[in-house]
Amino acid sequence: MVQTVPVTRYIAAIDQGTTSSRCIVFDAAGTIVSQAQREHGQRYPRPGWVEHDPVEIWHRVEAVTRGALDQVGLAPADLAAIGLTNQRETTVLWDAATGEPIGDAIVWQDTRTDKLIAELAADGGQDRFRDRCGLPLATYFSAPKIRWRLDRDPDLRRRAADGAVRFGTVDTWLIERMTGAYLTDVTNASRTMLMNLATLDWDDTLLAAFDIPRAMLPEIRPSSQVYGEARPFGGVPVAAALGDQQAALFGQACYSPGEAKCTYGTGSFLLMHTGDTPTPSRRGLLTTVAYRIGDQPAAYALEGSIAVTGALVQWLRDNLGIIGSAREVNELAARVPDSGGCVIVPAFSGLFAPHWRPDARGVIAGLTGFVTRDHLARAALESTAWQVYDVVEAMNAEADTDLTALKVDGGMTASDLLMQFQSDVLDVPVLRPSVSETTCLGAAYAAGLAVGFWPDLDALRANWAEQRRWTPRMSAAARAGGARRWRKAVARSLDWTD
Ligand SMILES: Nc1ncnc2c1ncn2[C@@H]1O[C@H](COP(=O)(O)OP(=O)(O)O)[C@@H](O)[C@H]1O
Ligand SMILES: O=P(O)(O)OC[C@H](O)CO
């Protein structure tokens, strides 16, 4: 019998995130073979504005992809496919003929569209488009960012209507650079506020409400499908794209209704798989597409998006200087048994899920002469857990079934204190997998499925292994007392801006 020796044995996943781009090469067991990472610049031209240079992002992506291959002496021919995952909602415009960006990308955190959002919400309320796109009116999503650009440049609007200007989320921008194809994956499209969740196509009512021409939008495609050949990387098939939070859900093998993960980074994002029909939310969660594999029906998720979690730790480091590194927050917090009655609500850019209150601003409540920087460090970590608690409460009520365990990933899961406190306040086990790079892993899985590198979801599920588990230790009375104090602090953060 003649044995065939496979010549391509790896999948590369590119994760283009808010602060950095990374590329991780995985083998068939889902084990990391190599990785490279590079940061890109954050531009803050005015208060509340956040921009990225799309060309710089592309150069970082090129560099990390080559870097990850070079580290272990791999050539593009050793790859079966490339999978892409990306920061979501961030809005790029470029010239259809030249491919050159028109201005910088407007990042998801940017709040310049707050007046436009207030005007749109004045006519029908914040939830007026929820039944179509699953999202509340918020500065977070792409549609208001596109509209802001078109409103300020009549010539741009005219060219956009003629198809001479292209809009894309970061997946679209990078896929066009790699393959020449102009398309978006359905999970990214579901974050624009322009896609209808039922038809999975651009929605004429939403396009009219935001005054955005269809001619400037890409074709919506499944998340796992060969899109084209990556010309700068030896023609390897680009075979998946997913928003980064959906990719983490996929990498955590949450393939059945009720399975959930939370990714703790700059912000934190909890997604629960809800099956193959969209579940509407009446409690401030987002209804979003989880993934779509080829021509199979799409899977949907409920999402609780929290804008500021790890960013608060960075703020303690960079703005207050009470810690020298993110890791140090744990050393301070561990010196005290509790936060000394102090509660931080880090509503730096309003509160996202489940409150959606752009008028909120950060507060430190309960200050007394007793409170030290150790208590502040502890309160900072606890604020992450309480924000996730709010989202889980909404999720339980919405899904009509209580979460029984939470899979976690992301940079903040390095904090043992936070993970224990999270398990305590949620009263469920918190599980961290052996491969913590779930975002890249999810993109690799989706690409691998498209090219037959992995046969099916069962094979991917078999790769998931628990590395660490935290179980609840807190009394019900302590949990209830903490929740009460948290709710009072949240109430004090509201109605701050005019
Ligand atoms: N040991 C730690 N304890 C607490 N927070 C941490 C720790 N290490 C990193 N962080 C926080 O986690 C975030 C980085 O996580 P990461 O998953 O890389 O984020 P992102 O993908 O959003 O850039 C930073 O905001 C940092 O403050
Ligand atoms: O790039 P991250 O990890 O900060 O994720 C950003 C989210 O996709 C925003 O919705």
Side-chain angles (χ1 to χ4, degrees), residues 18 28 269 324 381 457 477:
T18 311
F269 301 85
L381 290 175
L457 294 180

Side-chain angles (χ1 to χ4, degrees), residues 57-243:
I57 282 183
W58 163 242
H59 288 148
R60 297 290 177 270
V61 164
E62 270 190 306
V64 296
T65 307
R66 287 189 210 297
L69 292 175
D70 290 350
Q71 261 175 42
V72 282
L74 291 177
D78 296 311
L79 298 176
I82 292 173
L84 176 65
T85 178
N86 57 283
Q87 56 168 320
R88 307 167 301 169
E89 299 95 13
T90 296
T91 294
V92 190
L93 298 185
W94 65 93
D95 185 300
T98 66
E100 290 308 310
I102 304 171
D104 277 347
I106 304 182
V107 178
W108 60 276
Q109 300 150 318
D110 189 298
T111 57
R112 76 183 66 181
T113 59
D114 51 359
K115 284 196 186 64
L116 171 64
I117 291 296
E119 281 163 25
L120 287 166
D123 178 17
Q126 195 177 24
D127 286 336
R128 60 185 279 208
F129 302 126
R130 253 192 196 275
D131 57 338
R132 290 176 183 274
C133 63
L135 311 172
L137 273 166
T139 59
Y140 182 24
F141 306 109
S142 313
K145 300 181 197 298
I146 306 172
R147 164 76 176 265
W148 190 94
R149 294 290 307 275
L150 297 182
D151 277 354
R152 271 147 195 83
D153 187 343
D155 185 51
L156 187 71
R157 179 178 286 286
R158 203 167 36 248
R159 290 171 58 222
D162 291 343
V165 171
R166 290 182 171 172
F167 152 77
T169 36
V170 171
D171 57 320
T172 305
W173 167 247
L174 294 175
I175 289 170
E176 189 179 287
R177 286 265 152 164
M178 284 193 278
T179 69
Y182 181 48
L183 54 91
T184 185
D185 115 272
V186 65
T187 69
N188 276 289
S190 77
R191 315 297 295 198
T192 58
M193 250 194 134
L194 295 174
M195 192 190 82
N196 186 303
L197 275 182
T199 64
L200 304 181
D201 194 5
W202 305 119
D203 182 287
D204 287 327
T205 301
L206 295 172
L207 292 176
F210 285 101
D211 199 9
I212 291 173
R214 190 183 268 260
M216 71 182 302
L217 303 178
E219 185 189 346
I220 302 175
R221 298 278 282 270
S223 327
S224 172
Q225 185 186 63
V226 174
Y227 304 133
E229 294 178 347
R231 296 183 298 220
F233 309 120
V236 178
V238 178
L242 294 138

